[in-house]
Amino acid sequence: MQRRGLLYVISAPSGAGKTSLCKAIIDILPNLRHSVSHTTRPPRVGEVDGRDYHFVSNAEFDAMVADSAFAEWALVHGNRYGTALASLEEVRDAGCDLLLEIDCQGAAQLKERCPDAIFIFVLPPSFQELERRLKGRQTDAAEVIEQRLRNARIEMREMFWYDYLVINDDFDLASRQLQAILVAAACRTEILKDQVQRLFGEIGR
Ligand code: 5GP
């Protein structure tokens, strides 16, 4: 019998490389699923509805908030983003682990709501490098980049209540660190004790 899926919550300032790290880790860990958030932000070129985000109108988002359909939601860079409670529970009940890429405000809400979740903060190696990466992406206007840099300084104040920090300087090293964190968290005694008891009965109790 499977254990209930774990919840991994990853936050980072925009441009720290969180999305690439998460993609890499999803490819490696077979039991891990990526949570698809709802957002009122318009799709970027190449983004697919239902794969990258569920792109919804303000009215649709309002309706979900009114229905208490979100496990968490927040206003980030002028747009709203949220994690649907139903899909989160569904994946975990099916025994799959779930990776949430969300901002610090949403993570703080989940810290209250799901105290068993594992919280990971990804950092850029420096503010200079963060700026270089954001400019290099060429997906956002100059004022958007400025806003993201200002937000990065605010978001990074939150990192100290997270369980783990990953400094994304060398991508391969950061991805191995992230993998190690996820794998180790799934081997905690607290997580495995029911499964072990089913395997070995009352031994050692
Ligand atoms: P982007 O627009 O660049 O895809 O994402 C902007 C920010 O929104 C990122 O920091 C990302 O982590 C955050 N975000 C994405 N989905 C969610 C969500 O469901 N909830 C919250 N609170 N933040 C989210």
Side-chain angles (χ1 to χ4, degrees):
M1 226 167 89
Q2 290 165 321
R3 59 163 171 76
R4 189 160 194 260
L6 299 176
L7 192 60
Y8 299 105
V9 179
I10 305 202
S11 304
S14 159
K18 169 186 56 155
T19 303
S20 308
L21 281 172
C22 288
K23 282 203 176 105
I25 207 84
I26 293 268
D27 287 344
I28 294 169
L29 299 177
N31 196 43
L32 187 63
R33 303 284 176 273
H34 188 262
S35 164
V36 180
S37 298
H38 287 70
T39 183
T40 58
R41 160 169 87 59
R44 296 194 185 113
V45 176
E47 283 184 329
V48 176
D49 186 37
R51 184 193 69 187
D52 299 292
Y53 282 104
H54 299 290
F55 294 100
V56 293
S57 65
N58 271 308
E60 286 169 313
F61 202 97
D62 284 341
M64 289 183 75
V65 172
D67 283 351
S68 306
F70 287 120
E72 61 74 33
W73 71 270
L75 183 69
V76 188
H77 312 310
N79 293 297
R80 286 184 293 170
Y81 297 80
T83 307
L85 183 59
S87 55
L88 185 149
E89 296 296 344
E90 216 171 275
V91 173
R92 297 187 74 190
D93 288 346
C96 291
D97 300 330
L98 193 61
L99 190 62
L100 263 56
E101 280 184 59
I102 64 173
D103 89 311
C104 300
Q105 304 168 77
Q109 292 168 38
L110 286 179
K111 181 99 177 157
E112 294 290 312
R113 184 167 200 151
C114 311
D116 60 333
I118 297 115
F119 294 86
I120 306 155
F121 196 97
V122 177
L123 298 149
S126 65
F127 281 120
Q128 289 77 7
E129 175 61 15
L130 186 66
E131 185 169 358
R132 197 190 64 74
R133 288 181 192 174
L134 285 174
K135 287 184 173 157
R137 287 210 298 211
Q138 295 179 331
T139 49
D140 295 307
E143 65 268 23
V144 174
I145 292 176
E146 283 308 314
Q147 188 189 11
R148 291 189 172 211
L149 282 169
R150 278 196 301 276
N151 285 348
R153 289 177 186 275
I154 298 166
E155 283 166 334
M156 281 171 65
R157 290 186 204 138
E158 298 289 317
M159 69 172 132
F160 297 106
W161 64 257
Y162 281 70
D163 300 312
Y164 297 95
L165 300 178
V166 173
I167 301 173
N168 184 15
D169 188 1
D170 177 272
F171 182 82
D172 287 338
L173 176 61
S175 132
R176 274 184 278 128
Q177 287 175 336
L178 189 57
Q179 187 182 350
I181 292 165
L182 268 60
V183 171
C187 294
R188 279 176 305 159
T189 309
E190 181 60 29
I191 300 299
L192 289 184
K193 68 173 189 228
D194 291 344
Q195 198 174 340
V196 165
Q197 195 170 351
R198 281 195 295 274
L199 290 172
F200 300 105
E202 289 301 318
I203 193 166
R205 285 244 162 172

